[in-house]
Structures are given as structure tokens and as C-alpha cells.
Amino acid sequence: MQTLTPEVTIIGAGAAGLMCAFSAALRGRKVLLLDHANKAGKKILMSGGGRCNFTNLYTEPANFLSTNPHFCKSALARYTQWDFIELVSRHGVPYHEKKLGQLFCDNKSSDILAMLLDECAQAGVDLRLDTTVETIEKTEAGYALQTGIGAVHCQSLVIATGGLSIPTLGATGFGYQIARQFGHGVLPTRAGLVPFTITEPTLKAMCSELSGTSVEDCLVSCNGQSFRENILFTHRGLSGPAILQISSYWQPGDVVHIDLLPHLDLGEWLTTQQQERPNGELRTLLGEVFTRKLAGLLCEHWFASKPLKQYTAPELEAIATQLGDWQLVPAGTEGYRTAEVTLGGVDTREVSSKTMESQKSPGLYFIGEVLDVSGHLGGFNFQWAWASGFAAAQYV
Ligand code: FDA
């Protein structure tokens, strides 16, 4: 096997690696893009329920979690959602805004992957799949890699291996291992944008019975953060956008507060209903704002249903509190098996926010989810992959 001598080697042909590869190749750099998987961009294909929520119109640094919150600003400002939308439009990929600025493909996620692969092919990127990387060493001229396709010598090495979520899609901790090898700190990782599990028997039974039911407009809060979106009951606990969002702020043992009817002043509403329809049953009333099944189960497990006139003022107040501030301590999360992102990762305080280059080992770059930058749900994680990939591409 002959030694390959690209100028730039990128490990990981996911969202960030693909963007970095063609952007660097367009600058005239000779780029080798390696991935151990048999297909590039598997997460892109899986994303957005098969329609890839590829960016968000309202992307702001505030949509990202990191120990170093300023780190993402520079890259996000230099490659914005508008730049990616321009690329998508240039390729004639049809898309639409679903809600809250979230842009999805009209057809399939494969439109986005095909676009990125087309850009790579046009720019002359050498993409090698099914290729493992065995060792990496620093040399005087850059980096020497031993790979499944032989030795590779390059000036710049980009780590774009992503996080730990969904191992069946090729996720590994390889990026963290390389970071440590070159003296970088790796902040503790945990699953983010992930459903909660519940083990408390009564609540678990209730969730399981309601599995597939959603409550459209809830305000979910934890550790000073709140998200107003729907929640979904599952066989094992709770999911839905508001739950996924808050999961990124939750630590084991923390209480999650759920307002099931944030658009109502519950105390006032219940009192008015009691005055206006004293003989109406609580179950019937709740059936008007929730599904009948949910109303029935709430009455079964939380409040005995009786005619409204029979509730005392403190009882009504207790119902208002339970519906408006349901306090829940999840047993845990579904973990990396279903998480959309990995929180934590390569410590950004040792990486240049402008170039993504390591401050420990010149010529080494980290981009995408392997870094300690995680976005909210809604297209922000891809926007980070595009922006950080583009930033590194200008300097590799
Ligand atoms: P990514 O994980 O995309 O790519 C890493 C690549 O490195 C993979 O191709 C992997 O095979 C390769 N690799 C790993 N280890 C390696 C090794 N040792 N050697 C060689 N190659 C290696 N975000 C969003 O904005 N909108 C959305 O709609 C969704 N939807 C979504 C759905 C699901 C099910 C998941 C799991 C995630 C999402 N996300 C999302 C998150 C988004 O997919 C994620 O943040 C980006 O793909 C991260 O891009 P990266 O390029 O950093 O990693």
C-alpha cells in the first residue's frame, strides 16, 4: 500500500466533516476524508424524522450549551444559517419552515446528504469509507496516520468524529481519545436531547397507558431554563420537544417542573368554572382541555372526580398547583441509545474559536459535536456542524 499524502485529512464524514472537506478543497487544498462507516452522513439521513431539520432561522449563541458559552460566537457569525440556506437553494433542495424557525426538507434528508457529497465530488475531495484509523502521531511536517488503507501523511488533521449518541450509527469516543492523546481536556459527557425514564410505579403505569398521547402546550422548567412546547407520554416515561430540550439542562436528582396548561390562570379558571357549572364533573372539565383519556387518568391517580361544587377552595387550589406545577424527578434518561446529542466533550478553552485549531498541537483541529458545544433542538446542532466545519476549512 502506498502512502497517501493529502494536505488535509479529516476523520469523520458526518455533517461537520463533509462541510469542512469541500470548503477546504474549494480553497485549493488536497483533502482526504475518512470514515469507518460504510456510508457518509448516517445521522443526516436519520435526522428530523427523515426530513433533516438542517438549520434554524433564529440561530443565536444563546441556543447552545457549553462550559465556555462565548466559544461558538465567532464561527456562528462567520457561517450563518443564511449561508447554509443559500447553499441549499443553489442546489434546488426544496424546504419549508415547520415551526419556530426550524427548516426541514420537503422531501428527504438524503437531499442534504446528496448536496454535501456533490459539493465534495465537485471540489475533488478524496472520500474513503470503511476506513479505520489505527494510530496518529505528530511529525515535523504535520501528522502521520496508520489507517486501514495504509499510511497517511498530512499537514493538517481535523477530528470530526462527533459525539457518543446512537452507537449503531457509527458513534465512538475516538475523538475524545485523540484529544487526550494530544493533551486536551475532555469535559464529562452525557446524553442530551433525550427522553426521560420514570420508574415510580403509579406514574410509570400512567405514562405507559398514555403512551403516544401528547399535551400540546406545556411549560417545562429545570435549573432556571424553560421551554414551551408539547410533551409526549411514552411507555417508559416522557418525551416530546419540551422534554428533550429540558433534558439537556437536567442532572440526576433534579426536579422538573411541568405546567400542563400555561395559557390558563388555573386558580382563577377553576373558581370560575365552579361558579358557572357547579354540577359539572372535574373529569368532564379536564376532558375539554386534555384528551379524555388523560383527563380520566389524572382524575384516577391525582384527583378524585366529583361535581365541581363539592371541592373546597383549598382542594381547588391543590388541583391548580398540581396541573400548573407538576413536580417530577425522572429516574434517568434513555441515554446515548436515543439521544440526539452528546453534552460535554473536547474542552473549547484549549481550541481557537476562530480557527478550531488546537492550542496544544498545531495543525490539529476539532469541529462539530466532538467539541463541548451542543445546540437546542431545532436545527441548531447541524448549524454548529456547518459553521465549525467551515471555520476550520479556512485555515487547514
Ligand atoms: P456526526 O455524528 O454527524 O459524524 C461523525 C462521523 O464520524 C460519523 O460519520 C462516524 O461514522 C464517524 N466516526 C466516528 N468515529 C470514527 C472513527 N473512530 N473512525 C472513523 N470515523 C469515525 N441536529 C439537527 O440540527 N437537526 C436535526 O434534525 C437532527 N436530528 C437528529 C436525529 C437523530 C436521531 C440524531 C442522533 C441526531 C440528530 N441531530 C439533529 C444532531 C446532529 O445529527 C448532530 O449534532 C450532527 O450530526 C453532528 O455532526 P458531526 O459531524 O459533528 O458528527
Side-chain angles (χ1 to χ4, degrees), residues 11-17 34-37 39 41-44 46-48 52-54 131-133 160-163 165-166 169-172 174 339-341 367-370 378-383 385:
I11 308 177
L34 305 177
D35 203 297
H36 67 163
K39 231 185 203 175
K42 284 191 182 180
K43 274 195 193 163
I44 297 174
M46 280 275 290
S47 67
C52 187
N53 177 195
F54 56 81
T131 302
T132 51
V133 177
T161 46
S165 32
I166 324 239
L169 291 181
T172 67
F174 183 77
E340 275 201 20
V341 282
I367 57 173
E369 203 181 309
V370 73
F380 302 104
N381 283 297
F382 279 136
Q383 187 57 39

mmCIF file of all heavy atoms in Angstrom, residues 11-17 34-37 39 41-44 46-48 52-54 131-133 160-163 165-166 169-172 174 339-341 367-370 378-383 385, ligand 1:
data_model
loop_
_atom_site.group_PDB
_atom_site.id
_atom_site.type_symbol
_atom_site.label_atom_id
_atom_site.label_comp_id
_atom_site.label_asym_id
_atom_site.label_seq_id
_atom_site.Cartn_x
_atom_site.Cartn_y
_atom_site.Cartn_z
ATOM 1 N N ILE A 11 -11.065 13.207 9.768
ATOM 2 C CA ILE A 11 -11.606 11.925 10.242
ATOM 3 C C ILE A 11 -13.056 12.149 10.651
ATOM 4 O O ILE A 11 -13.331 12.922 11.576
ATOM 5 C CB ILE A 11 -10.792 11.349 11.417
ATOM 6 C CG1 ILE A 11 -9.305 11.289 11.051
ATOM 7 C CG2 ILE A 11 -11.312 9.964 11.792
ATOM 8 C CD1 ILE A 11 -8.412 10.793 12.185
ATOM 9 N N GLY A 12 -13.970 11.468 9.958
ATOM 10 C CA GLY A 12 -15.403 11.611 10.239
ATOM 11 C C GLY A 12 -16.118 12.313 9.095
ATOM 12 O O GLY A 12 -15.965 13.519 8.909
ATOM 13 N N ALA A 13 -16.872 11.526 8.314
ATOM 14 C CA ALA A 13 -17.609 12.107 7.182
ATOM 15 C C ALA A 13 -19.071 12.309 7.565
ATOM 16 O O ALA A 13 -19.990 11.811 6.919
ATOM 17 C CB ALA A 13 -17.481 11.214 5.952
ATOM 18 N N GLY A 14 -19.268 13.014 8.682
ATOM 19 C CA GLY A 14 -20.616 13.407 9.088
ATOM 20 C C GLY A 14 -20.842 14.846 8.636
ATOM 21 O O GLY A 14 -20.155 15.341 7.724
ATOM 22 N N ALA A 15 -21.785 15.512 9.295
ATOM 23 C CA ALA A 15 -22.154 16.864 8.884
ATOM 24 C C ALA A 15 -20.949 17.810 8.872
ATOM 25 O O ALA A 15 -20.674 18.483 7.870
ATOM 26 C CB ALA A 15 -23.234 17.382 9.822
ATOM 27 N N ALA A 16 -20.217 17.851 9.975
ATOM 28 C CA ALA A 16 -19.102 18.802 10.085
ATOM 29 C C ALA A 16 -17.958 18.419 9.143
ATOM 30 O O ALA A 16 -17.382 19.293 8.475
ATOM 31 C CB ALA A 16 -18.606 18.846 11.528
ATOM 32 N N GLY A 17 -17.644 17.126 9.075
ATOM 33 C CA GLY A 17 -16.530 16.671 8.235
ATOM 34 C C GLY A 17 -16.790 16.940 6.758
ATOM 35 O O GLY A 17 -15.891 17.381 6.029
ATOM 36 N N LEU A 34 -11.956 10.593 5.722
ATOM 37 C CA LEU A 34 -12.045 9.178 6.112
ATOM 38 C C LEU A 34 -13.222 8.931 7.040
ATOM 39 O O LEU A 34 -13.531 9.755 7.890
ATOM 40 C CB LEU A 34 -10.799 8.772 6.923
ATOM 41 C CG LEU A 34 -9.423 8.999 6.344
ATOM 42 C CD1 LEU A 34 -8.372 8.581 7.377
ATOM 43 C CD2 LEU A 34 -9.268 8.184 5.067
ATOM 44 N N ASP A 35 -13.844 7.780 6.910
ATOM 45 C CA ASP A 35 -14.879 7.389 7.886
ATOM 46 C C ASP A 35 -14.857 5.871 8.011
ATOM 47 O O ASP A 35 -14.674 5.159 7.020
ATOM 48 C CB ASP A 35 -16.268 7.858 7.441
ATOM 49 C CG ASP A 35 -17.229 7.978 8.608
ATOM 50 O OD1 ASP A 35 -17.526 6.935 9.254
ATOM 51 O OD2 ASP A 35 -17.674 9.095 8.902
ATOM 52 N N HIS A 36 -15.040 5.396 9.215
ATOM 53 C CA HIS A 36 -15.045 3.946 9.410
ATOM 54 C C HIS A 36 -16.369 3.302 9.000
ATOM 55 O O HIS A 36 -16.460 2.104 8.845
ATOM 56 C CB HIS A 36 -14.680 3.589 10.857
ATOM 57 C CG HIS A 36 -15.702 4.008 11.864
ATOM 58 N ND1 HIS A 36 -15.741 3.492 13.134
ATOM 59 C CD2 HIS A 36 -16.718 4.902 11.800
ATOM 60 C CE1 HIS A 36 -16.734 4.047 13.798
ATOM 61 N NE2 HIS A 36 -17.332 4.898 13.024
ATOM 62 N N ALA A 37 -17.394 4.135 8.839
ATOM 63 C CA ALA A 37 -18.712 3.596 8.467
ATOM 64 C C ALA A 37 -18.747 3.289 6.967
ATOM 65 O O ALA A 37 -17.907 3.761 6.212
ATOM 66 C CB ALA A 37 -19.790 4.605 8.823
ATOM 67 N N LYS A 39 -21.076 4.284 5.050
ATOM 68 C CA LYS A 39 -21.825 5.354 4.392
ATOM 69 C C LYS A 39 -21.466 6.673 5.066
ATOM 70 O O LYS A 39 -21.296 6.695 6.293
ATOM 71 C CB LYS A 39 -23.311 5.113 4.655
ATOM 72 C CG LYS A 39 -24.180 5.126 3.452
ATOM 73 C CD LYS A 39 -25.618 4.987 3.887
ATOM 74 C CE LYS A 39 -26.438 4.446 2.748
ATOM 75 N NZ LYS A 39 -27.798 4.190 3.135
ATOM 76 N N GLY A 41 -22.409 10.445 6.468
ATOM 77 C CA GLY A 41 -23.581 11.197 6.935
ATOM 78 C C GLY A 41 -24.785 10.388 7.374
ATOM 79 O O GLY A 41 -25.930 10.781 7.106
ATOM 80 N N LYS A 42 -24.547 9.301 8.113
ATOM 81 C CA LYS A 42 -25.694 8.474 8.529
ATOM 82 C C LYS A 42 -26.670 9.250 9.415
ATOM 83 O O LYS A 42 -27.874 9.038 9.365
ATOM 84 C CB LYS A 42 -25.210 7.232 9.276
ATOM 85 C CG LYS A 42 -24.642 6.162 8.350
ATOM 86 C CD LYS A 42 -24.438 4.865 9.113
ATOM 87 C CE LYS A 42 -23.831 3.813 8.195
ATOM 88 N NZ LYS A 42 -23.616 2.538 8.863
ATOM 89 N N LYS A 43 -26.118 10.138 10.258
ATOM 90 C CA LYS A 43 -27.032 10.883 11.150
ATOM 91 C C LYS A 43 -27.847 11.898 10.367
ATOM 92 O O LYS A 43 -28.968 12.218 10.753
ATOM 93 C CB LYS A 43 -26.241 11.600 12.253
ATOM 94 C CG LYS A 43 -25.996 10.702 13.430
ATOM 95 C CD LYS A 43 -25.553 11.460 14.647
ATOM 96 C CE LYS A 43 -25.028 10.460 15.647
ATOM 97 N NZ LYS A 43 -24.215 11.085 16.680
ATOM 98 N N ILE A 44 -27.265 12.389 9.293
ATOM 99 C CA ILE A 44 -28.032 13.330 8.458
ATOM 100 C C ILE A 44 -29.259 12.582 7.918
ATOM 101 O O ILE A 44 -30.378 13.098 7.932
ATOM 102 C CB ILE A 44 -27.172 13.878 7.295
ATOM 103 C CG1 ILE A 44 -25.989 14.683 7.849
ATOM 104 C CG2 ILE A 44 -28.002 14.728 6.344
ATOM 105 C CD1 ILE A 44 -24.990 15.143 6.805
ATOM 106 N N MET A 46 -30.849 10.073 9.182
ATOM 107 C CA MET A 46 -31.799 9.759 10.254
ATOM 108 C C MET A 46 -32.496 11.008 10.795
ATOM 109 O O MET A 46 -33.504 10.912 11.481
ATOM 110 C CB MET A 46 -31.031 9.201 11.461
ATOM 111 C CG MET A 46 -30.637 7.772 11.371
ATOM 112 S SD MET A 46 -31.969 6.729 11.904
ATOM 113 C CE MET A 46 -32.039 7.054 13.668
ATOM 114 N N SER A 47 -31.905 12.159 10.522
ATOM 115 C CA SER A 47 -32.300 13.365 11.265
ATOM 116 C C SER A 47 -33.692 13.874 10.894
ATOM 117 O O SER A 47 -34.197 13.587 9.809
ATOM 118 C CB SER A 47 -31.272 14.465 11.013
ATOM 119 O OG SER A 47 -31.334 14.860 9.667
ATOM 120 N N GLY A 48 -34.231 14.643 11.826
ATOM 121 C CA GLY A 48 -35.504 15.322 11.587
ATOM 122 C C GLY A 48 -36.607 14.381 11.134
ATOM 123 O O GLY A 48 -37.413 14.743 10.271
ATOM 124 N N CYS A 52 -34.556 15.906 7.855
ATOM 125 C CA CYS A 52 -33.419 16.748 8.227
ATOM 126 C C CYS A 52 -33.782 18.210 8.531
ATOM 127 O O CYS A 52 -33.973 19.015 7.630
ATOM 128 C CB CYS A 52 -32.336 16.710 7.140
ATOM 129 S SG CYS A 52 -30.823 17.568 7.639
ATOM 130 N N ASN A 53 -33.829 18.508 9.788
ATOM 131 C CA ASN A 53 -34.024 19.899 10.221
ATOM 132 C C ASN A 53 -32.633 20.541 10.148
ATOM 133 O O ASN A 53 -31.895 20.555 11.100
ATOM 134 C CB ASN A 53 -34.584 19.894 11.640
ATOM 135 C CG ASN A 53 -34.770 21.255 12.249
ATOM 136 O OD1 ASN A 53 -34.955 21.374 13.446
ATOM 137 N ND2 ASN A 53 -34.712 22.295 11.429
ATOM 138 N N PHE A 54 -32.302 21.053 8.950
ATOM 139 C CA PHE A 54 -30.903 21.376 8.649
ATOM 140 C C PHE A 54 -30.383 22.689 9.215
ATOM 141 O O PHE A 54 -29.183 22.895 9.302
ATOM 142 C CB PHE A 54 -30.637 21.299 7.138
ATOM 143 C CG PHE A 54 -31.550 22.171 6.313
ATOM 144 C CD1 PHE A 54 -31.309 23.520 6.174
ATOM 145 C CD2 PHE A 54 -32.642 21.611 5.668
ATOM 146 C CE1 PHE A 54 -32.148 24.315 5.401
ATOM 147 C CE2 PHE A 54 -33.494 22.404 4.899
ATOM 148 C CZ PHE A 54 -33.237 23.760 4.763
ATOM 149 N N THR A 131 -13.046 2.879 6.467
ATOM 150 C CA THR A 131 -11.616 3.066 6.742
ATOM 151 C C THR A 131 -11.386 3.396 8.209
ATOM 152 O O THR A 131 -11.840 4.437 8.689
ATOM 153 C CB THR A 131 -11.050 4.213 5.860
ATOM 154 O OG1 THR A 131 -11.289 3.865 4.498
ATOM 155 C CG2 THR A 131 -9.566 4.414 6.093
ATOM 156 N N THR A 132 -10.695 2.505 8.879
ATOM 157 C CA THR A 132 -10.411 2.740 10.294
ATOM 158 C C THR A 132 -9.078 3.479 10.432
ATOM 159 O O THR A 132 -8.220 3.401 9.552
ATOM 160 C CB THR A 132 -10.293 1.413 11.060
ATOM 161 O OG1 THR A 132 -9.377 0.598 10.345
ATOM 162 C CG2 THR A 132 -11.626 0.704 11.171
ATOM 163 N N VAL A 133 -8.954 4.188 11.548
ATOM 164 C CA VAL A 133 -7.675 4.873 11.839
ATOM 165 C C VAL A 133 -7.087 4.163 13.052
ATOM 166 O O VAL A 133 -7.730 4.108 14.109
ATOM 167 C CB VAL A 133 -7.916 6.365 12.132
ATOM 168 C CG1 VAL A 133 -6.606 7.058 12.493
ATOM 169 C CG2 VAL A 133 -8.561 7.043 10.929
ATOM 170 N N ALA A 160 -13.440 15.114 13.296
ATOM 171 C CA ALA A 160 -14.874 15.424 13.099
ATOM 172 C C ALA A 160 -15.686 14.171 13.384
ATOM 173 O O ALA A 160 -16.610 13.818 12.645
ATOM 174 C CB ALA A 160 -15.100 15.912 11.668
ATOM 175 N N THR A 161 -15.318 13.483 14.466
ATOM 176 C CA THR A 161 -15.906 12.161 14.732
ATOM 177 C C THR A 161 -17.183 12.222 15.572
ATOM 178 O O THR A 161 -17.717 11.174 15.947
ATOM 179 C CB THR A 161 -14.877 11.246 15.420
ATOM 180 O OG1 THR A 161 -14.250 11.983 16.464
ATOM 181 C CG2 THR A 161 -13.810 10.780 14.453
ATOM 182 N N GLY A 162 -17.676 13.416 15.880
ATOM 183 C CA GLY A 162 -18.968 13.538 16.550
ATOM 184 C C GLY A 162 -18.950 13.078 17.999
ATOM 185 O O GLY A 162 -17.886 12.901 18.613
ATOM 186 N N GLY A 163 -20.149 12.884 18.540
ATOM 187 C CA GLY A 163 -20.296 12.500 19.950
ATOM 188 C C GLY A 163 -20.636 11.031 20.091
ATOM 189 O O GLY A 163 -20.412 10.240 19.175
ATOM 190 N N SER A 165 -23.712 9.755 20.849
ATOM 191 C CA SER A 165 -25.110 9.344 20.697
ATOM 192 C C SER A 165 -25.330 8.441 19.482
ATOM 193 O O SER A 165 -24.761 8.660 18.425
ATOM 194 C CB SER A 165 -26.040 10.551 20.656
ATOM 195 O OG SER A 165 -25.409 11.625 20.064
ATOM 196 N N ILE A 166 -26.133 7.454 19.702
ATOM 197 C CA ILE A 166 -26.518 6.420 18.734
ATOM 198 C C ILE A 166 -25.309 5.642 18.197
ATOM 199 O O ILE A 166 -24.901 5.799 17.039
ATOM 200 C CB ILE A 166 -27.396 6.972 17.591
ATOM 201 C CG1 ILE A 166 -28.335 8.052 18.116
ATOM 202 C CG2 ILE A 166 -28.088 5.827 16.896
ATOM 203 C CD1 ILE A 166 -29.785 7.842 17.950
ATOM 204 N N LEU A 169 -25.181 4.057 14.783
ATOM 205 C CA LEU A 169 -24.951 4.871 13.583
ATOM 206 C C LEU A 169 -23.470 5.196 13.416
ATOM 207 O O LEU A 169 -23.094 6.085 12.669
ATOM 208 C CB LEU A 169 -25.746 6.180 13.654
ATOM 209 C CG LEU A 169 -27.262 6.075 13.543
ATOM 210 C CD1 LEU A 169 -27.898 7.463 13.607
ATOM 211 C CD2 LEU A 169 -27.653 5.402 12.238
ATOM 212 N N GLY A 170 -22.612 4.521 14.171
ATOM 213 C CA GLY A 170 -21.167 4.717 13.981
ATOM 214 C C GLY A 170 -20.507 5.615 15.021
ATOM 215 O O GLY A 170 -19.323 5.922 14.907
ATOM 216 N N ALA A 171 -21.275 6.053 16.040
ATOM 217 C CA ALA A 171 -20.698 6.961 17.036
ATOM 218 C C ALA A 171 -19.661 6.237 17.901
ATOM 219 O O ALA A 171 -19.877 5.094 18.315
ATOM 220 C CB ALA A 171 -21.803 7.517 17.925
ATOM 221 N N THR A 172 -18.548 6.913 18.148
ATOM 222 C CA THR A 172 -17.498 6.352 19.007
ATOM 223 C C THR A 172 -16.903 7.478 19.847
ATOM 224 O O THR A 172 -17.120 8.653 19.566
ATOM 225 C CB THR A 172 -16.328 5.758 18.180
ATOM 226 O OG1 THR A 172 -15.650 6.848 17.511
ATOM 227 C CG2 THR A 172 -16.788 4.737 17.164
ATOM 228 N N PHE A 174 -13.803 8.060 19.812
ATOM 229 C CA PHE A 174 -12.478 8.185 19.207
ATOM 230 C C PHE A 174 -11.935 9.622 19.291
ATOM 231 O O PHE A 174 -10.759 9.846 19.589
ATOM 232 C CB PHE A 174 -12.562 7.736 17.741
ATOM 233 C CG PHE A 174 -11.249 7.744 17.027
ATOM 234 C CD1 PHE A 174 -10.316 6.742 17.242
ATOM 235 C CD2 PHE A 174 -10.933 8.754 16.122
ATOM 236 C CE1 PHE A 174 -9.102 6.746 16.571
ATOM 237 C CE2 PHE A 174 -9.726 8.765 15.441
ATOM 238 C CZ PHE A 174 -8.804 7.749 15.677
ATOM 239 N N ALA A 339 -30.361 9.425 22.348
ATOM 240 C CA ALA A 339 -30.086 10.870 22.495
ATOM 241 C C ALA A 339 -29.729 11.488 21.143
ATOM 242 O O ALA A 339 -29.029 10.883 20.347
ATOM 243 C CB ALA A 339 -28.931 11.075 23.466
ATOM 244 N N GLU A 340 -30.183 12.731 20.939
ATOM 245 C CA GLU A 340 -29.816 13.412 19.691
ATOM 246 C C GLU A 340 -28.433 14.025 19.765
ATOM 247 O O GLU A 340 -27.804 14.254 18.729
ATOM 248 C CB GLU A 340 -30.838 14.501 19.352
ATOM 249 C CG GLU A 340 -32.013 13.958 18.601
ATOM 250 C CD GLU A 340 -32.776 14.997 17.811
ATOM 251 O OE1 GLU A 340 -32.242 16.076 17.504
ATOM 252 O OE2 GLU A 340 -33.940 14.714 17.516
ATOM 253 N N VAL A 341 -27.975 14.340 20.946
ATOM 254 C CA VAL A 341 -26.634 14.937 21.063
ATOM 255 C C VAL A 341 -25.901 14.424 22.298
ATOM 256 O O VAL A 341 -26.502 13.837 23.202
ATOM 257 C CB VAL A 341 -26.637 16.482 21.195
ATOM 258 C CG1 VAL A 341 -26.861 17.166 19.886
ATOM 259 C CG2 VAL A 341 -27.542 16.969 22.287
ATOM 260 N N ILE A 367 -13.877 19.844 15.173
ATOM 261 C CA ILE A 367 -15.106 20.516 14.705
ATOM 262 C C ILE A 367 -16.345 19.665 15.031
ATOM 263 O O ILE A 367 -16.238 18.464 15.259
ATOM 264 C CB ILE A 367 -15.072 20.774 13.174
ATOM 265 C CG1 ILE A 367 -14.870 19.463 12.391
ATOM 266 C CG2 ILE A 367 -13.989 21.784 12.823
ATOM 267 C CD1 ILE A 367 -14.991 19.624 10.876
ATOM 268 N N GLY A 368 -17.481 20.322 15.078
ATOM 269 C CA GLY A 368 -18.755 19.612 15.264
ATOM 270 C C GLY A 368 -19.003 19.196 16.698
ATOM 271 O O GLY A 368 -18.543 19.826 17.663
ATOM 272 N N GLU A 369 -19.706 18.086 16.831
ATOM 273 C CA GLU A 369 -20.226 17.667 18.132
ATOM 274 C C GLU A 369 -19.158 17.129 19.075
ATOM 275 O O GLU A 369 -19.392 17.029 20.286
ATOM 276 C CB GLU A 369 -21.304 16.601 17.884
ATOM 277 C CG GLU A 369 -22.282 16.474 19.009
ATOM 278 C CD GLU A 369 -23.318 15.400 18.732
ATOM 279 O OE1 GLU A 369 -23.931 15.412 17.643
ATOM 280 O OE2 GLU A 369 -23.521 14.549 19.616
ATOM 281 N N VAL A 370 -17.999 16.778 18.567
ATOM 282 C CA VAL A 370 -16.929 16.276 19.441
ATOM 283 C C VAL A 370 -16.502 17.366 20.449
ATOM 284 O O VAL A 370 -16.019 17.059 21.545
ATOM 285 C CB VAL A 370 -15.729 15.771 18.596
ATOM 286 C CG1 VAL A 370 -14.945 16.938 17.977
ATOM 287 C CG2 VAL A 370 -14.801 14.882 19.412
ATOM 288 N N GLY A 378 -33.892 21.756 17.145
ATOM 289 C CA GLY A 378 -34.491 22.687 16.181
ATOM 290 C C GLY A 378 -33.585 23.075 15.033
ATOM 291 O O GLY A 378 -33.799 24.131 14.428
ATOM 292 N N GLY A 379 -32.559 22.273 14.738
ATOM 293 C CA GLY A 379 -31.666 22.583 13.610
ATOM 294 C C GLY A 379 -30.368 23.240 14.043
ATOM 295 O O GLY A 379 -29.499 23.523 13.218
ATOM 296 N N PHE A 380 -30.241 23.502 15.336
ATOM 297 C CA PHE A 380 -29.055 24.218 15.838
ATOM 298 C C PHE A 380 -27.804 23.345 15.817
ATOM 299 O O PHE A 380 -26.708 23.843 15.620
ATOM 300 C CB PHE A 380 -29.313 24.733 17.257
ATOM 301 C CG PHE A 380 -30.501 25.648 17.329
ATOM 302 C CD1 PHE A 380 -31.705 25.205 17.856
ATOM 303 C CD2 PHE A 380 -30.432 26.933 16.835
ATOM 304 C CE1 PHE A 380 -32.812 26.033 17.906
ATOM 305 C CE2 PHE A 380 -31.523 27.780 16.881
ATOM 306 C CZ PHE A 380 -32.728 27.327 17.416
ATOM 307 N N ASN A 381 -27.953 22.046 16.030
ATOM 308 C CA ASN A 381 -26.763 21.186 16.050
ATOM 309 C C ASN A 381 -26.147 21.066 14.664
ATOM 310 O O ASN A 381 -24.919 21.084 14.526
ATOM 311 C CB ASN A 381 -27.098 19.826 16.665
ATOM 312 C CG ASN A 381 -27.188 19.960 18.167
ATOM 313 O OD1 ASN A 381 -26.204 20.282 18.827
ATOM 314 N ND2 ASN A 381 -28.381 19.794 18.718
ATOM 315 N N PHE A 382 -26.992 20.989 13.645
ATOM 316 C CA PHE A 382 -26.417 20.989 12.299
ATOM 317 C C PHE A 382 -25.776 22.342 11.994
ATOM 318 O O PHE A 382 -24.704 22.399 11.397
ATOM 319 C CB PHE A 382 -27.466 20.634 11.243
ATOM 320 C CG PHE A 382 -27.691 19.144 11.131
ATOM 321 C CD1 PHE A 382 -28.961 18.616 11.032
ATOM 322 C CD2 PHE A 382 -26.621 18.259 11.119
ATOM 323 C CE1 PHE A 382 -29.167 17.243 10.932
ATOM 324 C CE2 PHE A 382 -26.807 16.886 11.032
ATOM 325 C CZ PHE A 382 -28.086 16.379 10.929
ATOM 326 N N GLN A 383 -26.420 23.427 12.411
ATOM 327 C CA GLN A 383 -25.827 24.737 12.109
ATOM 328 C C GLN A 383 -24.446 24.851 12.754
ATOM 329 O O GLN A 383 -23.527 25.417 12.170
ATOM 330 C CB GLN A 383 -26.754 25.876 12.564
ATOM 331 C CG GLN A 383 -26.276 27.257 12.118
ATOM 332 C CD GLN A 383 -26.096 27.387 10.600
ATOM 333 O OE1 GLN A 383 -26.882 26.862 9.819
ATOM 334 N NE2 GLN A 383 -25.037 28.071 10.186
ATOM 335 N N ALA A 385 -22.449 22.271 13.254
ATOM 336 C CA ALA A 385 -21.573 21.419 12.436
ATOM 337 C C ALA A 385 -21.124 22.182 11.180
ATOM 338 O O ALA A 385 -19.933 22.196 10.832
ATOM 339 C CB ALA A 385 -22.299 20.126 12.053
HETATM 340 P P1 FDA B 1 -21.630 13.109 13.097
HETATM 341 O O1 FDA B 1 -22.052 12.188 14.164
HETATM 342 O O2 FDA B 1 -22.626 13.612 12.128
HETATM 343 O O3 FDA B 1 -20.450 12.455 12.250
HETATM 344 C C1 FDA B 1 -19.362 11.796 12.837
HETATM 345 C C2 FDA B 1 -18.790 10.850 11.816
HETATM 346 O O4 FDA B 1 -17.581 10.319 12.359
HETATM 347 C C3 FDA B 1 -19.695 9.666 11.529
HETATM 348 O O5 FDA B 1 -19.860 9.534 10.137
HETATM 349 C C4 FDA B 1 -18.968 8.477 12.149
HETATM 350 O O6 FDA B 1 -19.154 7.290 11.415
HETATM 351 C C5 FDA B 1 -17.527 8.947 12.075
HETATM 352 N N1 FDA B 1 -16.655 8.311 13.071
HETATM 353 C C6 FDA B 1 -16.878 8.169 14.405
HETATM 354 N N2 FDA B 1 -15.850 7.515 14.960
HETATM 355 C C7 FDA B 1 -14.965 7.260 13.982
HETATM 356 C C8 FDA B 1 -13.719 6.593 13.948
HETATM 357 N N3 FDA B 1 -13.179 6.069 15.052
HETATM 358 N N4 FDA B 1 -13.072 6.492 12.756
HETATM 359 C C9 FDA B 1 -13.613 6.987 11.627
HETATM 360 N N5 FDA B 1 -14.794 7.625 11.601
HETATM 361 C C10 FDA B 1 -15.456 7.763 12.769
HETATM 362 N N6 FDA B 1 -29.481 18.000 14.537
HETATM 363 C C11 FDA B 1 -30.124 18.993 13.880
HETATM 364 O O7 FDA B 1 -29.631 20.107 13.838
HETATM 365 N N7 FDA B 1 -31.326 18.738 13.263
HETATM 366 C C12 FDA B 1 -31.910 17.510 13.257
HETATM 367 O O8 FDA B 1 -32.952 17.295 12.621
HETATM 368 C C13 FDA B 1 -31.251 16.472 13.991
HETATM 369 N N8 FDA B 1 -31.818 15.237 14.083
HETATM 370 C C14 FDA B 1 -31.137 14.218 14.705
HETATM 371 C C15 FDA B 1 -31.706 12.949 14.779
HETATM 372 C C16 FDA B 1 -31.022 11.911 15.404
HETATM 373 C C17 FDA B 1 -31.648 10.552 15.502
HETATM 374 C C18 FDA B 1 -29.729 12.147 15.944
HETATM 375 C C19 FDA B 1 -28.954 11.065 16.587
HETATM 376 C C20 FDA B 1 -29.167 13.419 15.883
HETATM 377 C C21 FDA B 1 -29.866 14.459 15.274
HETATM 378 N N9 FDA B 1 -29.325 15.747 15.220
HETATM 379 C C22 FDA B 1 -30.003 16.744 14.580
HETATM 380 C C23 FDA B 1 -27.966 16.029 15.754
HETATM 381 C C24 FDA B 1 -26.964 16.014 14.590
HETATM 382 O O9 FDA B 1 -27.155 14.841 13.826
HETATM 383 C C25 FDA B 1 -25.524 16.031 15.117
HETATM 384 O O10 FDA B 1 -25.362 17.082 16.039
HETATM 385 C C26 FDA B 1 -24.550 16.222 13.964
HETATM 386 O O11 FDA B 1 -24.673 15.134 13.062
HETATM 387 C C27 FDA B 1 -23.109 16.311 14.471
HETATM 388 O O12 FDA B 1 -22.262 16.375 13.350
HETATM 389 P P2 FDA B 1 -20.774 15.830 13.429
HETATM 390 O O13 FDA B 1 -20.259 15.892 12.037
HETATM 391 O O14 FDA B 1 -20.041 16.503 14.497
HETATM 392 O O15 FDA B 1 -20.916 14.318 13.865
#
